[in-house]
Amino acid sequence: MQAIFCEQLGGPEHLVLREIASPTPGPGEVRVALRARGVSFVDVLTIAGEYQTKREVPFIPGSEAAGVVIETGPGVEHVSAGDRVLVPGGFADETVAAAPQVIPLPATVSFETAAAFRASYCTAYYALQRGRLQAGEVLLVHGAAGGVGLAAVDVGKLLGATVIATASTPEKLAVCTRMGADHVINYTHGFREQVKDLTADRGADVIYDPVGGDVFDESMRCIAPFGRLLIVGFASGRAAVVKTNHLLIKDAEAIGFTIGALGRLDPVRERKNLGILMGWLAAGRITPHVSHRFPLAQAAAALALVRERKVMGKAVLV
Ligand SMILES: NC(=O)c1ccc[n+]([C@@H]2O[C@H](COP(=O)([O-])OP(=O)(O)OC[C@H]3O[C@@H](n4cnc5c(N)ncnc54)[C@H](OP(=O)(O)O)[C@@H]3O)[C@@H](O)[C@H]2O)c1
């Protein structure tokens, strides 16, 4: 089978395609033929050695995929050969996963959609839970055309919020509108005044920030009293410094979280959230957006596009 390897940390151009033996599932494991793999900003950071979780070279990048079960090891009962599943597999033709991580995929969900769904939507849903978003509240989503951003627009609308989406180009703003955003702002030259205008000077109740840096700083100036500012990530490259006097004056909260920590510290809640999201996905109530598709061999091109800020929603390797 073929697999993409990161053999030296750096940009996508260093990735290599190798022919390797198919993996064999041991007890409690499942071997899956992958049909689609999600590509994300976290993969760009991981192959560069810049993500908080470091991996030792050589490794196969990627963390979410969908495909068909080929065979199961002893002791696996919830799936069998031929089943369509979601797995945490990487950029390869096949993967072997531990049985608890192999999730049956509803017949109505395509491999492509499934591969673009899990990380972004689990992050967005958990974040909005942590932000205690209520129906009727104003949710401001930054970097809203990105992977975790567009998922927050989608889930935020489903939860009954009024969603204001920010992004850097008209094309990205149009995708946010199609995803259901009530208002869109090109934040290249700031957003504070527009948010104030759209909220009768009150500000946003919940602000979802995967960008950080200047965007975080300006967010502190348009957050509503009792507002919750969700620290999702730092796509801008700068983690902002929270000014506690701003939190005090606004009676606001800044809330940090990682979806990885949820899986480690509260796996029951993680599984419950995934079940709820899978139900919404199967019913067509959430609709992950895929802007680019590449064959597996062109993983480097997909990652380069993410790095260049050109992907909307997700890119997938099919
Ligand atoms: N907390 C968690 O559990 C968790 C989980 C998943 C991801 N994350 C983090 O969330 C962040 C976004 O991830 P993602 O998958 O949504 O990434 P993405 O798809 O690449 O989207 C990031 C968005 O950020 C905006 N951006 C602003 N400045 C940027 C810059 N200098 N470079 C690149 N993008 C920039 C871009 O939108 P515009 O062009 O419109 O500005 C882009 O669409 C990352 O920092 C990631 O590590 C956190």
Side-chain angles (χ1 to χ4, degrees), residues 40-42 45 51 123 143 145-149 166-168 172 187 210-211 231-236 257-260 306-307 309 311 313:
S40 76
F41 194 83
V42 168
L45 296 177
Y51 192 56
T123 299
V148 297
T166 66
S168 64
K172 288 185 172 187
Y187 64 176
V211 178
I231 303 160
V232 184
F234 317 109
S236 66
F257 73 95
T258 69
I259 198 67
V306 173
R307 191 177 57 180
R309 217 163 152 173
V311 168

Side-chain angles (χ1 to χ4, degrees), residues 168-198:
S168 64
T169 69
E171 191 189 6
K172 288 185 172 187
L173 293 173
V175 169
C176 295
T177 301
R178 284 205 297 280
M179 209 68 176
D182 299 279
H183 309 282
V184 293
I185 299 173
N186 186 325
Y187 64 176
T188 318
H189 302 294
F191 54 87
R192 174 190 173 193
E193 290 310 322
Q194 285 124 299
V195 172
K196 291 271 195 169
D197 287 348
L198 289 167

Side-chain angles (χ1 to χ4, degrees), residues 292-308:
H292 294 83
R293 295 151 189 85
F294 292 86
L296 175 63
Q298 288 178 25
L303 286 161
L305 216 60
V306 173
R307 191 177 57 180
E308 289 160 20

